[in-house]
Each structure stands twice: as structure tokens, then as C-alpha cells.
Amino acid sequence: SSTGQAPGDDSEVILCPQAIFRDPFRKGKNILVICDCYAPTGEPIPTNKRYNAAKIFSHPDVKAEEPWYGIEQEYTLLQKDTNWPLGWPLRGYPGPQGPYYCAAGADKSYGRDIVDAHYKACLYAGINISGINGEVMPGQWEFQVGPAVGISAGDQLWVSRYIVERITEIAGIVVTFDPFPISGDWNGANAHANYSTKSMRSDGGYEVIKKAIKKLGMRHKEHIAAYGEGN
């Protein structure tokens, strides 16, 4: 109940382990465990989105298509006491966007030590992290998870988010996944999902891709509504 996942009069939640990763902070035989959550009656709690996802990904037709995901997670580093982006003048603004994307240099790139530490920690944990880059807004970064197959992409992404929270905690920096942490004409931050199936990756796959896009277009509003707060 303390985390809003159960009512106060029946506060127990059952954790069911689903994926294991090496713990990059305690090392040794220590592990990080992704769990999903159930009520004492055995029913998945409302925020347990993994339950229905697992049923879909375990369907024989879906498994045969070997769905691949490559997820680009953007985030912003903030100064702890001001919640203002790292590298920005206090309550002021840097120069206009342009020189910061994939940049190098102390006047354009802010927080690389955190980003590199996160990358190494994810590799240690066994996450298929495959890239990093500085983003368009100064103090904003991106890492990529994947390619990962099926539901493992979600497990790996959530653990990679947890690890960046821990890395920034150690550094005394705040990380936010808010899509628009700064008002005005500044680049937004999201998690972009690249997706393909075995049919899409095979000969004639372009026609399969076009059919899939047409189907997605018919449910566009529902997908946007489920994409996350603040978009």
C-alpha cells in the first residue's frame, strides 16, 4: 500500500520473479530481479502490465515470428538542488540547440562520466545495451537496448532504467524520463521502439511492414494514449 499498489486494509502484494540480472553495485553473487505483482488471491494487480504481455509473447504464432525490439531511451540529467538541466546556467539558458547532439567538449557535453558508468554497469548486468549518444538538448542523453527478443526487451529496459537511477544517485544528480522537462522550444525525451518480425526481416518483408503499419494506423489514438504521461 505504501507504493500505491494495494489498498491499506489489505496491503500485501505477491512478487513473482521473472528475470535475473547480475548486480553491478554489490557484484559477487548478488543479483537484480525483475518481478511482476499479484494480489493474494492470485490475480495480477492493475499495474501489472507484464502479465498480459507475457500471454501474448508466449503465443505460438508470436514466438514463431521472433519479434525483435530496439528501444531508444532518452532521458535528462538535472542538478539535484534546482531540478535544472546539468550544465545549464542556474535558472538561465544555454546557447540554442545545434552543437550538443552527439557532441564532445566541456562546453557542449554534460554528464558523460554518468553515461559511461551506466553503460558499463548495464553490460555487467547482462543487458543488451548497444549504444549511447548525447541528445539535442544539452544535459539530455540516450541509450539503446536491443536488439532483444519479445518480453525480454521490456525486462532489460526496466532494469537499465533502475541502474541509471542508481548511478545518478551515487553522483548526486537527478535523472528524469519526463518527455518535456523544460518548457519552451527544447527537444523532448521519449523511448522510441524499433520493431520487426521474422517475416519483416525475410525476403518480401517490405510488404509485411506496410501491412503492419496500416493496421497500427487504425489504432493510432489508442497507442498514443498508452504511450505514457505528458506526451
Side-chain angles (χ1 to χ4, degrees), residues 93-226:
Y93 295 90
Q97 294 178 158
Y100 308 109
Y101 183 63
C102 297
D107 58 339
K108 297 182 290 294
S109 179
Y110 312 115
R112 190 183 300 277
D113 286 350
I114 292 170
V115 174
D116 285 348
H118 174 247
Y119 194 91
K120 293 174 184 176
C122 285
L123 288 175
Y124 180 91
I127 293 166
N128 197 22
I129 190 169
S130 50
I132 54 173
N133 62 270
E135 264 303 327
V136 177
M137 187 179 83
Q140 187 184 68
W141 291 83
E142 175 188 298
F143 63 88
Q144 297 94 36
V145 171
V149 180
I151 203 167
S152 69
D155 293 337
Q156 292 187 47
L157 181 65
W158 277 109
V159 174
S160 66
R161 288 171 173 169
Y162 171 78
I163 290 175
V164 78
E165 290 269 12
R166 290 287 304 275
I167 294 287
T168 51
E169 175 189 324
I170 293 168
I173 297 296
V174 174
V175 61
T176 178
F177 300 106
D178 187 323
F180 295 102
I182 302 297
S183 59
D185 190 22
W186 297 98
N187 190 57
N190 286 288
H192 302 134
N194 301 283
Y195 172 79
S196 69
T197 63
K198 189 174 183 180
S199 296
M200 292 175 182
R201 298 187 296 268
S202 303
D203 290 342
Y206 183 51
E207 294 303 316
V208 180
I209 290 171
K210 288 195 292 185
K211 288 179 182 178
I213 290 173
K214 187 174 181 180
K215 289 181 179 179
L216 287 168
M218 296 169 66
R219 303 292 295 272
H220 182 72
K221 289 184 177 180
E222 293 92 330
H223 295 155
I224 291 296

Side-chain angles (χ1 to χ4, degrees), residues 13-50:
V13 170
I14 309 302
L15 298 177
C16 181
Q18 296 291 358
I20 291 173
F21 300 84
R22 296 172 68 196
D23 186 338
F25 302 102
R26 293 174 296 171
K27 297 187 177 180
K29 294 183 178 181
N30 293 293
I31 56 175
L32 303 176
V33 184
I34 278 281
C35 301
D36 57 358
C37 301
Y38 297 82
T41 58
E43 294 294 313
I45 65 173
T47 54
N48 182 357
K49 308 300 183 183
R50 194 187 190 283

